[in-house]
Amino acid sequence: MLWADKYRPKDFSNLDYYKEQAANLKNLTKDGDFPHLLMYGPLGAGKKTRIMCILRELFGPGVERLKMEVMNFITPSNKKLEIMTINSSHHIEVNPSDVGIYDRVVVMDIIKNVAQSQQLNANATRDFKVIVLTDVDALTKDAQHALRRTMEKYISNCRIILCATSVSRVIPAIRSRCLCIRIPAPTEETIIEILQNTCKKEDLKLPSELAKRIAEVSNRNLRRALLICEACKVEQYPFTDNQKVPEPDWQVFIKKTADKILQNQSVETLSKVREDLYELLTNDIPSDIIFKTMLGELLKKCDASISARVVEEAARHEHRMAQGNKAIFHLESFVVKFMYIYQSMMQEMFAEF
Amino acid sequence: MEGFLKSGKLGENPEKTMIIMKSKTKKPKPVHWVEKYRPKTISDVVEQTEAVNVLEQCLTGADLPNLLFYGPPGSGKTSTILAAARQLFGDMYKDRILELNASDERGIQVIRDKVKNFSQLTASGVRPDGKPCPPFKIIILDEADSMTHAAQAALRRTIEKETKTTRFCLICNYISRIIEPLTSRCTKFRFKPLNEYLIIERLSFICDKEGVKCDDATLNALVETSNGDMRRAITCLQSCAKLNGPNRKITIESVLDVTGVVPNIWLFNFLKVCKKLNLSKLQCFIEKIMFEAYSGSQILDQLNEVIVNSDDFNDKQKAVIGAKLGEVSFRLLEGGSEFIHLLDLGTTVMKAYAIA
Ligand SMILES: Nc1ncnc2c1ncn2[C@@H]1O[C@H](COP(=O)(O)OP(=O)(O)OP(=O)(O)O)[C@@H](O)[C@H]1O
Ligand SMILES: Nc1ncnc2c1ncn2[C@@H]1O[C@H](COP(=O)(O)OP(=O)(O)O)[C@@H](O)[C@H]1O
Ligand SMILES: [Mg+2]
Ligand SMILES: [Mg+2]
């Protein structure tokens, strides 16, 4: 098992940071008036960990007996859908965006099913079940609208915990129905501390300089830090202060793509870039992360005279990308625009000589 | 046997499950205050006087037009019509009301079948107990803004055909998503975001009833961030009351935490970083805000406030930034990446500083 999973704290008493918040969350679970929750924060900040702690606090260790189950749905247009769920006898977890634009059907059916099946177990500690919906910011507007009244109607025997990275993408009507809980990313110091603790549990000695460097490249993503640390161990043990810290593959890949764009602005480059972008997308790297990382790399080489314009164009294209469903078009059209702006700048610079 | 299993599991046998639940929960079940304090009669509804007046007249025997309620979340739309329906029909509530919301299938076919079937049943003007009641049924189409235009078009004819027996009440957040021929068939009521002092009044009332201690400054902080959304204010109140454990005293810190307010220092620093006209510093800073998980739309709201009241910018600069704020806020709502769009805003503020 990966360290990130092996050492995932299982209940509130083992949480290593934001202890005060943990105490608050624990208070929240005490009575039957537990509200719907919306947990939001960056990747690897510990949202999922906290959700599992809450569930455990609500229902006891039973929530750790997890089953994977495929559920079947039929859309109004008679299309058959399958979706993977993880459940215990007290909760069910799904990522509705796994079925793309049909997410509404999944959300509705699951809630209705759960809401209608009472907890028959007489010694059940709670008379409600919990539905955990992950990646809520990726839900279609349609699915979000469908949640609105349903969340109110079935609240007596069904609570919903929503998990999102960006709360701005959740419609106000849903935010209004939840208690919104912000989960900030752990600081680098916290990450270093947790890396040290984890290594201690594994009986390893982690030099502080190396821990620091891992924390730096982890982007304050705790899961990533743990993965990198584990990868370092495979690469070379005993650790040394200055051993190589691997960057995530996709990040290196995007850097190379950006280099191509900066080196030569031509049709040939564009077709190579297109291949790269396809490669990234087919490997499930989210398009907004590609966009952001790429922009960061490109801006490093931009003169102050054009950077504002580049950012403005990026924002315009990213917005369109978020609306449409063909990310590749918008990524590519941004690259074309960038090439044009960049080339004009270079020409002007040379003209001055 | 199979029927038993099935009904047991799906809870279609409510009596049975009721018994089990009753035997288990001796003490009264703690409930959500949002539901507990949902207006029971239309006179409980705070503000929204136009809609309440029309419904009150209907209670005294006047005819009811088709209604369209629109307005932001938590302003009382659903509560108002449900309370009115209860008062109008009493025990016959279930037979006279059809509630369809966005979670129900509402394609054209459903509109044709379900709505038609329901509205074709005649409705008498007396209740079983002999009291008079309006001789019509009400179909509530909650969250009508998420109906397809085709389904809305189908509804148009249905409304006309069934006026004898049925009144419609359409509810939505955004009236612009309802087609014109439908809006023109209804009497429109705008549900305004509730006034801050009215929400405070309601919250103090709830605090009293629930035995929660909360001083005025704290209530103010709670209400300020609710943007006129009563539901949000009540949810936050209850959560704050619980988060702090059993002593039931709400502190201003816990309120700020729960409402997601961005501490002002972040906003001032944002402007300070922009003023340095250094893009890579700005990128780092925005990255840092993102790690804190503050909501982009909340940042924009508060930033708007800061900039409008700032002496640091002249009117021309404020106009430039204001326009961008609007654009960014729209783009975020449509799903844009917070980092890129805040960066876009930042570069605009930088430009504004440069033209000074
Ligand atoms: N005008 C009001 N007077 C009293 N209570 C209100 C009012 N508006 C909202 N509330 C409170 O907020 C809760 C939610 O209100 P309601 O369900 O009517 O909102 P809504 O306008 O239908 O919102 P949405 O657009 O999100 O569906 C109610 O249970 C009630 O406690
Ligand atoms: N409080 C904590 N103490 C120690 N490790 C933690 C803590 N919170 C999270 N982690 C670790 O960080 C990893 C990422 O957390 P996770 O909850 O999956 O993040 P998210 O759901 O926000 O992406 C987990 O695998 C877990 O091992
Ligand atoms: Mg996660
Ligand atoms: Mg409503």
PDB file of all heavy atoms in Angstrom, chain A residues 27 33-34 104 116 148-149 152 168 176 182 185 292 318 323, chain B residues 10 32 99 102 105 143 173 229 231 242-243 291-292 334 337-338:
ATOM      1  N   ASN A  27     -17.543  18.239  17.051  1.00  0.00           N
ATOM      2  CA  ASN A  27     -18.747  18.757  17.698  1.00  0.00           C
ATOM      3  C   ASN A  27     -19.957  18.678  16.786  1.00  0.00           C
ATOM      4  O   ASN A  27     -21.076  18.443  17.224  1.00  0.00           O
ATOM      5  CB  ASN A  27     -18.550  20.214  18.103  1.00  0.00           C
ATOM      6  CG  ASN A  27     -17.742  20.330  19.381  1.00  0.00           C
ATOM      7  OD1 ASN A  27     -17.792  19.437  20.214  1.00  0.00           O
ATOM      8  ND2 ASN A  27     -17.002  21.406  19.503  1.00  0.00           N
ATOM      9  N   ASP A  33     -28.686  16.647  14.167  1.00  0.00           N
ATOM     10  CA  ASP A  33     -28.911  17.728  13.208  1.00  0.00           C
ATOM     11  C   ASP A  33     -27.664  18.031  12.396  1.00  0.00           C
ATOM     12  O   ASP A  33     -27.384  19.169  12.057  1.00  0.00           O
ATOM     13  CB  ASP A  33     -29.417  18.986  13.922  1.00  0.00           C
ATOM     14  CG  ASP A  33     -28.549  19.345  15.111  1.00  0.00           C
ATOM     15  OD1 ASP A  33     -27.620  18.581  15.408  1.00  0.00           O
ATOM     16  OD2 ASP A  33     -28.803  20.382  15.739  1.00  0.00           O
ATOM     17  N   PHE A  34     -26.927  17.002  12.105  1.00  0.00           N
ATOM     18  CA  PHE A  34     -25.764  17.134  11.241  1.00  0.00           C
ATOM     19  C   PHE A  34     -26.199  17.685   9.880  1.00  0.00           C
ATOM     20  O   PHE A  34     -27.114  17.155   9.268  1.00  0.00           O
ATOM     21  CB  PHE A  34     -25.140  15.736  11.100  1.00  0.00           C
ATOM     22  CG  PHE A  34     -23.935  15.672  10.231  1.00  0.00           C
ATOM     23  CD1 PHE A  34     -22.735  16.174  10.679  1.00  0.00           C
ATOM     24  CD2 PHE A  34     -24.002  15.123   8.974  1.00  0.00           C
ATOM     25  CE1 PHE A  34     -21.611  16.113   9.876  1.00  0.00           C
ATOM     26  CE2 PHE A  34     -22.883  15.059   8.169  1.00  0.00           C
ATOM     27  CZ  PHE A  34     -21.682  15.555   8.625  1.00  0.00           C
ATOM     28  N   ARG A 104     -26.474  14.088 -14.049  1.00  0.00           N
ATOM     29  CA  ARG A 104     -27.734  14.408 -13.374  1.00  0.00           C
ATOM     30  C   ARG A 104     -28.511  13.138 -13.013  1.00  0.00           C
ATOM     31  O   ARG A 104     -29.050  13.004 -11.921  1.00  0.00           O
ATOM     32  CB  ARG A 104     -28.588  15.284 -14.276  1.00  0.00           C
ATOM     33  CG  ARG A 104     -29.703  15.989 -13.546  1.00  0.00           C
ATOM     34  CD  ARG A 104     -30.610  16.673 -14.531  1.00  0.00           C
ATOM     35  NE  ARG A 104     -31.564  15.706 -15.040  1.00  0.00           N
ATOM     36  CZ  ARG A 104     -32.821  15.640 -14.618  1.00  0.00           C
ATOM     37  NH1 ARG A 104     -33.256  16.507 -13.751  1.00  0.00           N
ATOM     38  NH2 ARG A 104     -33.632  14.720 -15.068  1.00  0.00           N
ATOM     39  N   GLN A 116     -35.013   6.742   0.135  1.00  0.00           N
ATOM     40  CA  GLN A 116     -36.179   5.897   0.330  1.00  0.00           C
ATOM     41  C   GLN A 116     -35.867   4.632   1.112  1.00  0.00           C
ATOM     42  O   GLN A 116     -36.754   4.001   1.647  1.00  0.00           O
ATOM     43  CB  GLN A 116     -36.796   5.550  -1.020  1.00  0.00           C
ATOM     44  CG  GLN A 116     -37.599   6.721  -1.546  1.00  0.00           C
ATOM     45  CD  GLN A 116     -37.925   6.580  -3.006  1.00  0.00           C
ATOM     46  OE1 GLN A 116     -37.695   5.518  -3.579  1.00  0.00           O
ATOM     47  NE2 GLN A 116     -38.444   7.624  -3.604  1.00  0.00           N
ATOM     48  N   ARG A 148     -30.840  20.880  -5.885  1.00  0.00           N
ATOM     49  CA  ARG A 148     -31.348  21.926  -4.998  1.00  0.00           C
ATOM     50  C   ARG A 148     -32.482  21.502  -4.082  1.00  0.00           C
ATOM     51  O   ARG A 148     -32.343  21.401  -2.875  1.00  0.00           O
ATOM     52  CB  ARG A 148     -31.833  23.122  -5.834  1.00  0.00           C
ATOM     53  CG  ARG A 148     -30.737  23.896  -6.430  1.00  0.00           C
ATOM     54  CD  ARG A 148     -31.262  25.150  -7.040  1.00  0.00           C
ATOM     55  NE  ARG A 148     -32.043  24.886  -8.232  1.00  0.00           N
ATOM     56  CZ  ARG A 148     -32.465  25.836  -9.055  1.00  0.00           C
ATOM     57  NH1 ARG A 148     -32.190  27.093  -8.804  1.00  0.00           N
ATOM     58  NH2 ARG A 148     -33.167  25.533 -10.115  1.00  0.00           N
ATOM     59  N   ARG A 149     -33.642  21.261  -4.660  1.00  0.00           N
ATOM     60  CA  ARG A 149     -34.810  20.957  -3.830  1.00  0.00           C
ATOM     61  C   ARG A 149     -34.676  19.583  -3.175  1.00  0.00           C
ATOM     62  O   ARG A 149     -35.135  19.356  -2.080  1.00  0.00           O
ATOM     63  CB  ARG A 149     -36.080  21.046  -4.680  1.00  0.00           C
ATOM     64  CG  ARG A 149     -37.354  20.828  -3.919  1.00  0.00           C
ATOM     65  CD  ARG A 149     -37.851  22.080  -3.231  1.00  0.00           C
ATOM     66  NE  ARG A 149     -39.057  21.775  -2.444  1.00  0.00           N
ATOM     67  CZ  ARG A 149     -39.088  21.781  -1.120  1.00  0.00           C
ATOM     68  NH1 ARG A 149     -38.025  22.130  -0.434  1.00  0.00           N
ATOM     69  NH2 ARG A 149     -40.195  21.471  -0.478  1.00  0.00           N
ATOM     70  N   GLU A 152     -33.181  19.558   0.165  1.00  0.00           N
ATOM     71  CA  GLU A 152     -34.069  19.982   1.249  1.00  0.00           C
ATOM     72  C   GLU A 152     -35.080  18.903   1.578  1.00  0.00           C
ATOM     73  O   GLU A 152     -35.381  18.628   2.723  1.00  0.00           O
ATOM     74  CB  GLU A 152     -34.835  21.242   0.836  1.00  0.00           C
ATOM     75  CG  GLU A 152     -33.966  22.426   0.631  1.00  0.00           C
ATOM     76  CD  GLU A 152     -34.775  23.645   0.220  1.00  0.00           C
ATOM     77  OE1 GLU A 152     -35.674  23.542  -0.640  1.00  0.00           O
ATOM     78  OE2 GLU A 152     -34.500  24.707   0.753  1.00  0.00           O
ATOM     79  N   SER A 168     -16.139  28.309  -6.223  1.00  0.00           N
ATOM     80  CA  SER A 168     -16.778  29.248  -7.152  1.00  0.00           C
ATOM     81  C   SER A 168     -17.610  28.540  -8.204  1.00  0.00           C
ATOM     82  O   SER A 168     -18.507  29.118  -8.792  1.00  0.00           O
ATOM     83  CB  SER A 168     -15.736  30.091  -7.869  1.00  0.00           C
ATOM     84  OG  SER A 168     -15.036  30.868  -6.963  1.00  0.00           O
ATOM     85  N   SER A 176     -25.920  27.659  -0.509  1.00  0.00           N
ATOM     86  CA  SER A 176     -26.864  28.128   0.492  1.00  0.00           C
ATOM     87  C   SER A 176     -27.433  26.974   1.317  1.00  0.00           C
ATOM     88  O   SER A 176     -27.908  27.178   2.420  1.00  0.00           O
ATOM     89  CB  SER A 176     -27.976  28.900  -0.211  1.00  0.00           C
ATOM     90  OG  SER A 176     -29.180  28.846   0.494  1.00  0.00           O
ATOM     91  N   ARG A 182     -13.904  25.233   4.658  1.00  0.00           N
ATOM     92  CA  ARG A 182     -12.705  25.524   3.873  1.00  0.00           C
ATOM     93  C   ARG A 182     -11.553  24.680   4.410  1.00  0.00           C
ATOM     94  O   ARG A 182     -11.303  24.653   5.600  1.00  0.00           O
ATOM     95  CB  ARG A 182     -12.388  27.010   4.031  1.00  0.00           C
ATOM     96  CG  ARG A 182     -11.238  27.536   3.246  1.00  0.00           C
ATOM     97  CD  ARG A 182     -11.195  29.053   3.374  1.00  0.00           C
ATOM     98  NE  ARG A 182     -10.932  29.468   4.738  1.00  0.00           N
ATOM     99  CZ  ARG A 182      -9.719  29.684   5.234  1.00  0.00           C
ATOM    100  NH1 ARG A 182      -8.665  29.544   4.461  1.00  0.00           N
ATOM    101  NH2 ARG A 182      -9.557  30.057   6.487  1.00  0.00           N
ATOM    102  N   ALA A 185      -4.559  24.291   2.075  1.00  0.00           N
ATOM    103  CA  ALA A 185      -3.463  23.341   1.908  1.00  0.00           C
ATOM    104  C   ALA A 185      -2.527  23.459   3.106  1.00  0.00           C
ATOM    105  O   ALA A 185      -2.351  24.541   3.653  1.00  0.00           O
ATOM    106  CB  ALA A 185      -2.715  23.656   0.626  1.00  0.00           C
ATOM    107  N   LYS A 292      -3.010  26.078 -16.833  1.00  0.00           N
ATOM    108  CA  LYS A 292      -2.349  26.896 -15.824  1.00  0.00           C
ATOM    109  C   LYS A 292      -0.829  26.683 -15.833  1.00  0.00           C
ATOM    110  O   LYS A 292      -0.052  27.636 -15.793  1.00  0.00           O
ATOM    111  CB  LYS A 292      -2.931  26.526 -14.455  1.00  0.00           C
ATOM    112  CG  LYS A 292      -2.363  27.323 -13.346  1.00  0.00           C
ATOM    113  CD  LYS A 292      -2.922  26.906 -12.009  1.00  0.00           C
ATOM    114  CE  LYS A 292      -1.957  27.363 -10.954  1.00  0.00           C
ATOM    115  NZ  LYS A 292      -2.055  26.634  -9.719  1.00  0.00           N
ATOM    116  N   GLU A 318      -9.369  30.362 -21.604  1.00  0.00           N
ATOM    117  CA  GLU A 318      -9.682  29.409 -20.544  1.00  0.00           C
ATOM    118  C   GLU A 318     -11.172  29.428 -20.230  1.00  0.00           C
ATOM    119  O   GLU A 318     -11.779  28.395 -19.972  1.00  0.00           O
ATOM    120  CB  GLU A 318      -8.877  29.741 -19.289  1.00  0.00           C
ATOM    121  CG  GLU A 318      -8.669  28.570 -18.345  1.00  0.00           C
ATOM    122  CD  GLU A 318      -9.830  28.339 -17.407  1.00  0.00           C
ATOM    123  OE1 GLU A 318     -10.664  29.257 -17.217  1.00  0.00           O
ATOM    124  OE2 GLU A 318      -9.925  27.235 -16.847  1.00  0.00           O
ATOM    125  N   GLN A 323     -16.407  26.405 -20.765  1.00  0.00           N
ATOM    126  CA  GLN A 323     -17.796  26.295 -21.214  1.00  0.00           C
ATOM    127  C   GLN A 323     -18.001  25.157 -22.189  1.00  0.00           C
ATOM    128  O   GLN A 323     -18.993  24.457 -22.140  1.00  0.00           O
ATOM    129  CB  GLN A 323     -18.207  27.577 -21.920  1.00  0.00           C
ATOM    130  CG  GLN A 323     -18.467  28.717 -20.992  1.00  0.00           C
ATOM    131  CD  GLN A 323     -18.832  29.935 -21.797  1.00  0.00           C
ATOM    132  OE1 GLN A 323     -18.033  30.404 -22.600  1.00  0.00           O
ATOM    133  NE2 GLN A 323     -20.021  30.413 -21.613  1.00  0.00           N
TER     134      GLN A 323
ATOM    135  N   LEU B  10     -37.272  -0.497   0.725  1.00  0.00           N
ATOM    136  CA  LEU B  10     -37.466   0.802   0.115  1.00  0.00           C
ATOM    137  C   LEU B  10     -38.321   1.719   0.963  1.00  0.00           C
ATOM    138  O   LEU B  10     -38.620   2.828   0.580  1.00  0.00           O
ATOM    139  CB  LEU B  10     -38.107   0.645  -1.268  1.00  0.00           C
ATOM    140  CG  LEU B  10     -37.177   0.001  -2.299  1.00  0.00           C
ATOM    141  CD1 LEU B  10     -37.912  -0.216  -3.593  1.00  0.00           C
ATOM    142  CD2 LEU B  10     -35.949   0.856  -2.514  1.00  0.00           C
ATOM    143  N   HIS B  32     -33.018  20.411  11.845  1.00  0.00           N
ATOM    144  CA  HIS B  32     -32.339  21.546  11.239  1.00  0.00           C
ATOM    145  C   HIS B  32     -33.195  22.775  11.395  1.00  0.00           C
ATOM    146  O   HIS B  32     -34.383  22.762  11.085  1.00  0.00           O
ATOM    147  CB  HIS B  32     -32.059  21.253   9.781  1.00  0.00           C
ATOM    148  CG  HIS B  32     -31.103  20.130   9.609  1.00  0.00           C
ATOM    149  ND1 HIS B  32     -31.513  18.839   9.446  1.00  0.00           N
ATOM    150  CD2 HIS B  32     -29.762  20.107   9.646  1.00  0.00           C
ATOM    151  CE1 HIS B  32     -30.462  18.060   9.370  1.00  0.00           C
ATOM    152  NE2 HIS B  32     -29.384  18.801   9.487  1.00  0.00           N
ATOM    153  N   GLU B  99     -46.030  18.907  -6.864  1.00  0.00           N
ATOM    154  CA  GLU B  99     -44.763  19.621  -6.848  1.00  0.00           C
ATOM    155  C   GLU B  99     -43.764  18.898  -7.730  1.00  0.00           C
ATOM    156  O   GLU B  99     -43.467  17.733  -7.519  1.00  0.00           O
ATOM    157  CB  GLU B  99     -44.231  19.703  -5.403  1.00  0.00           C
ATOM    158  CG  GLU B  99     -43.047  20.638  -5.272  1.00  0.00           C
ATOM    159  CD  GLU B  99     -42.366  20.562  -3.908  1.00  0.00           C
ATOM    160  OE1 GLU B  99     -42.982  20.056  -2.956  1.00  0.00           O
ATOM    161  OE2 GLU B  99     -41.213  21.006  -3.822  1.00  0.00           O
ATOM    162  N   ALA B 102     -36.482  20.226 -10.134  1.00  0.00           N
ATOM    163  CA  ALA B 102     -35.471  19.894 -11.136  1.00  0.00           C
ATOM    164  C   ALA B 102     -34.999  18.455 -11.029  1.00  0.00           C
ATOM    165  O   ALA B 102     -34.416  17.920 -11.953  1.00  0.00           O
ATOM    166  CB  ALA B 102     -34.290  20.838 -11.007  1.00  0.00           C
ATOM    167  N   GLU B 105     -38.044  14.120 -13.559  1.00  0.00           N
ATOM    168  CA  GLU B 105     -37.975  14.202 -15.005  1.00  0.00           C
ATOM    169  C   GLU B 105     -38.997  15.227 -15.466  1.00  0.00           C
ATOM    170  O   GLU B 105     -40.155  15.160 -15.084  1.00  0.00           O
ATOM    171  CB  GLU B 105     -38.309  12.834 -15.614  1.00  0.00           C
ATOM    172  CG  GLU B 105     -37.120  12.018 -16.026  1.00  0.00           C
ATOM    173  CD  GLU B 105     -35.863  12.821 -16.289  1.00  0.00           C
ATOM    174  OE1 GLU B 105     -35.918  13.747 -17.128  1.00  0.00           O
ATOM    175  OE2 GLU B 105     -34.837  12.548 -15.658  1.00  0.00           O
ATOM    176  N   GLU B 143     -37.747  25.438  -9.375  1.00  0.00           N
ATOM    177  CA  GLU B 143     -36.522  25.411 -10.173  1.00  0.00           C
ATOM    178  C   GLU B 143     -36.831  25.318 -11.655  1.00  0.00           C
ATOM    179  O   GLU B 143     -36.238  24.539 -12.393  1.00  0.00           O
ATOM    180  CB  GLU B 143     -35.639  24.245  -9.722  1.00  0.00           C
ATOM    181  CG  GLU B 143     -35.085  24.487  -8.344  1.00  0.00           C
ATOM    182  CD  GLU B 143     -35.056  23.235  -7.475  1.00  0.00           C
ATOM    183  OE1 GLU B 143     -35.229  22.145  -8.002  1.00  0.00           O
ATOM    184  OE2 GLU B 143     -34.893  23.375  -6.256  1.00  0.00           O
ATOM    185  N   ASN B 173     -34.538  30.929  -9.943  1.00  0.00           N
ATOM    186  CA  ASN B 173     -33.559  31.921  -9.515  1.00  0.00           C
ATOM    187  C   ASN B 173     -33.343  32.975 -10.604  1.00  0.00           C
ATOM    188  O   ASN B 173     -33.173  34.144 -10.330  1.00  0.00           O
ATOM    189  CB  ASN B 173     -32.207  31.274  -9.190  1.00  0.00           C
ATOM    190  CG  ASN B 173     -32.241  30.417  -7.929  1.00  0.00           C
ATOM    191  OD1 ASN B 173     -31.752  29.306  -7.909  1.00  0.00           O
ATOM    192  ND2 ASN B 173     -32.846  30.935  -6.877  1.00  0.00           N
ATOM    193  N   ASP B 229     -29.438  36.052   2.016  1.00  0.00           N
ATOM    194  CA  ASP B 229     -29.900  34.673   1.918  1.00  0.00           C
ATOM    195  C   ASP B 229     -30.199  34.170   3.333  1.00  0.00           C
ATOM    196  O   ASP B 229     -29.302  33.894   4.116  1.00  0.00           O
ATOM    197  CB  ASP B 229     -28.800  33.849   1.235  1.00  0.00           C
ATOM    198  CG  ASP B 229     -29.116  32.361   1.156  1.00  0.00           C
ATOM    199  OD1 ASP B 229     -30.022  31.903   1.879  1.00  0.00           O
ATOM    200  OD2 ASP B 229     -28.469  31.669   0.370  1.00  0.00           O
ATOM    201  N   ARG B 231     -31.570  31.396   4.346  1.00  0.00           N
ATOM    202  CA  ARG B 231     -31.214  30.009   4.621  1.00  0.00           C
ATOM    203  C   ARG B 231     -29.756  29.902   5.029  1.00  0.00           C
ATOM    204  O   ARG B 231     -29.411  29.238   5.988  1.00  0.00           O
ATOM    205  CB  ARG B 231     -31.464  29.149   3.390  1.00  0.00           C
ATOM    206  CG  ARG B 231     -30.950  27.744   3.586  1.00  0.00           C
ATOM    207  CD  ARG B 231     -31.288  26.812   2.460  1.00  0.00           C
ATOM    208  NE  ARG B 231     -31.429  27.499   1.214  1.00  0.00           N
ATOM    209  CZ  ARG B 231     -32.424  27.321   0.374  1.00  0.00           C
ATOM    210  NH1 ARG B 231     -33.353  26.478   0.626  1.00  0.00           N
ATOM    211  NH2 ARG B 231     -32.473  27.999  -0.738  1.00  0.00           N
ATOM    212  N   LYS B 242     -23.165  24.856  17.088  1.00  0.00           N
ATOM    213  CA  LYS B 242     -22.728  23.499  17.388  1.00  0.00           C
ATOM    214  C   LYS B 242     -21.231  23.347  17.391  1.00  0.00           C
ATOM    215  O   LYS B 242     -20.666  22.614  18.198  1.00  0.00           O
ATOM    216  CB  LYS B 242     -23.292  22.546  16.336  1.00  0.00           C
ATOM    217  CG  LYS B 242     -24.747  22.336  16.503  1.00  0.00           C
ATOM    218  CD  LYS B 242     -25.162  21.081  15.842  1.00  0.00           C
ATOM    219  CE  LYS B 242     -24.433  19.893  16.403  1.00  0.00           C
ATOM    220  NZ  LYS B 242     -24.849  18.670  15.694  1.00  0.00           N
ATOM    221  N   LEU B 243     -20.575  24.056  16.474  1.00  0.00           N
ATOM    222  CA  LEU B 243     -19.128  23.905  16.362  1.00  0.00           C
ATOM    223  C   LEU B 243     -18.443  24.166  17.687  1.00  0.00           C
ATOM    224  O   LEU B 243     -17.446  23.563  18.016  1.00  0.00           O
ATOM    225  CB  LEU B 243     -18.578  24.870  15.314  1.00  0.00           C
ATOM    226  CG  LEU B 243     -18.809  24.500  13.855  1.00  0.00           C
ATOM    227  CD1 LEU B 243     -18.310  25.594  12.944  1.00  0.00           C
ATOM    228  CD2 LEU B 243     -18.116  23.195  13.518  1.00  0.00           C
ATOM    229  N   PHE B 291      -3.978  28.423  -2.293  1.00  0.00           N
ATOM    230  CA  PHE B 291      -3.669  27.383  -1.310  1.00  0.00           C
ATOM    231  C   PHE B 291      -4.517  27.552  -0.055  1.00  0.00           C
ATOM    232  O   PHE B 291      -4.816  26.600   0.640  1.00  0.00           O
ATOM    233  CB  PHE B 291      -2.191  27.416  -0.930  1.00  0.00           C
ATOM    234  CG  PHE B 291      -1.298  26.806  -1.964  1.00  0.00           C
ATOM    235  CD1 PHE B 291      -0.083  27.388  -2.297  1.00  0.00           C
ATOM    236  CD2 PHE B 291      -1.676  25.641  -2.606  1.00  0.00           C
ATOM    237  CE1 PHE B 291       0.741  26.817  -3.259  1.00  0.00           C
ATOM    238  CE2 PHE B 291      -0.861  25.061  -3.567  1.00  0.00           C
ATOM    239  CZ  PHE B 291       0.357  25.652  -3.891  1.00  0.00           C
ATOM    240  N   GLU B 292      -4.892  28.784   0.241  1.00  0.00           N
ATOM    241  CA  GLU B 292      -5.736  29.008   1.407  1.00  0.00           C
ATOM    242  C   GLU B 292      -7.176  28.600   1.144  1.00  0.00           C
ATOM    243  O   GLU B 292      -8.015  28.606   2.028  1.00  0.00           O
ATOM    244  CB  GLU B 292      -5.707  30.476   1.826  1.00  0.00           C
ATOM    245  CG  GLU B 292      -4.382  30.929   2.416  1.00  0.00           C
ATOM    246  CD  GLU B 292      -3.981  30.106   3.624  1.00  0.00           C
ATOM    247  OE1 GLU B 292      -4.840  29.859   4.478  1.00  0.00           O
ATOM    248  OE2 GLU B 292      -2.803  29.694   3.691  1.00  0.00           O
ATOM    249  N   GLU B 334     -19.044  30.756 -14.538  1.00  0.00           N
ATOM    250  CA  GLU B 334     -19.204  29.825 -15.652  1.00  0.00           C
ATOM    251  C   GLU B 334     -18.176  28.717 -15.613  1.00  0.00           C
ATOM    252  O   GLU B 334     -18.083  27.925 -16.548  1.00  0.00           O
ATOM    253  CB  GLU B 334     -19.053  30.592 -16.953  1.00  0.00           C
ATOM    254  CG  GLU B 334     -20.095  31.662 -17.111  1.00  0.00           C
ATOM    255  CD  GLU B 334     -20.815  31.529 -18.415  1.00  0.00           C
ATOM    256  OE1 GLU B 334     -20.134  31.603 -19.442  1.00  0.00           O
ATOM    257  OE2 GLU B 334     -22.029  31.333 -18.397  1.00  0.00           O
ATOM    258  N   SER B 337     -11.032  28.978 -14.411  1.00  0.00           N
ATOM    259  CA  SER B 337     -10.070  28.665 -13.356  1.00  0.00           C
ATOM    260  C   SER B 337      -9.796  29.900 -12.511  1.00  0.00           C
ATOM    261  O   SER B 337      -9.536  30.979 -13.027  1.00  0.00           O
ATOM    262  CB  SER B 337      -8.781  28.139 -13.990  1.00  0.00           C
ATOM    263  OG  SER B 337      -7.661  28.793 -13.469  1.00  0.00           O
ATOM    264  N   GLU B 338      -9.873  29.743 -11.201  1.00  0.00           N
ATOM    265  CA  GLU B 338      -9.716  30.898 -10.318  1.00  0.00           C
ATOM    266  C   GLU B 338      -8.349  31.532 -10.494  1.00  0.00           C
ATOM    267  O   GLU B 338      -8.219  32.751 -10.536  1.00  0.00           O
ATOM    268  CB  GLU B 338      -9.928  30.476  -8.867  1.00  0.00           C
ATOM    269  CG  GLU B 338     -11.356  30.079  -8.608  1.00  0.00           C
ATOM    270  CD  GLU B 338     -11.638  29.774  -7.153  1.00  0.00           C
ATOM    271  OE1 GLU B 338     -10.732  29.251  -6.474  1.00  0.00           O
ATOM    272  OE2 GLU B 338     -12.761  30.048  -6.708  1.00  0.00           O
TER     273      GLU B 338
END
